[in-house]
């Protein structure tokens, strides 16, 4: 099955992992890391956690990782909903 995310087409047969995540500052220089949305939800109100953006991450058989960043959680959710429609028909 071929899916499209942000005008990029991908074959689902090549995808090994696909997941949403938040990108947060680690506190070390300009370094950021991905973290689960569930963890971010548990950190609500914690001023020590700074979300840089949200993203859909895709790992493929050739061991490459592509991510599609979104500035807001709402934009991420809209992209995930559109992706789900493609996959579920």
């Amino acid at each position: 099955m071929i899916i499209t995310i942000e005008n990029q087409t991908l074959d689902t047969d090549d995808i090994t992992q696909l997941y949403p995540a938040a990108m947060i500052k680690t506190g070390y220089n300009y370094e950021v890391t991905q973290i689960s949305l569930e963890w971010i939800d548990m950190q609500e109100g914690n001023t020590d956690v700074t979300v840089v953006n949200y993203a859909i991450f895709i790992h493929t058989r050739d061991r490459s990782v592509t991510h599609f960043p979104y500035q807001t959680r709402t934009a991420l959710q809209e992209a995930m909903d559109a992706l789900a429609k493609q996959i579920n028909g």
Side-chain angles (χ1 to χ4, degrees):
M1 166 186 273
I2 302 298
I3 59 173
T4 303
I5 303 174
E6 301 302 323
N7 297 322
Q8 184 172 342
T9 58
L10 301 154
D11 187 336
T12 56
D13 289 340
D14 294 332
I15 297 172
T16 58
Q17 292 184 47
L18 185 154
Y19 56 91
M23 298 296 292
I24 62 169
K25 292 183 179 181
T26 65
Y28 182 75
N29 292 330
Y30 298 104
E31 183 180 76
V32 296
T33 192
Q34 58 180 283
I35 200 78
S36 73
L37 298 179
E38 293 81 8
W39 188 86
I40 287 297
D41 291 343
M42 292 187 308
Q43 301 306 310
E44 187 174 336
N46 183 345
T47 58
D48 292 333
V49 176
T50 303
V51 175
V52 175
N53 62 27
Y54 298 89
I56 297 172
F57 286 84
I58 297 178
H59 296 241
T60 55
R61 289 186 192 278
D62 65 1
R63 299 182 185 239
S64 67
V65 179
T66 303
H67 74 283
F68 299 90
Y70 301 92
Q71 291 303 310
T72 65
R73 180 91 177 247
T74 300
L76 171 67
Q77 187 61 55
E78 290 170 356
M80 291 297 295
D81 291 346
L83 182 57
K85 285 181 185 178
Q86 291 179 66
I87 293 170
N88 296 325

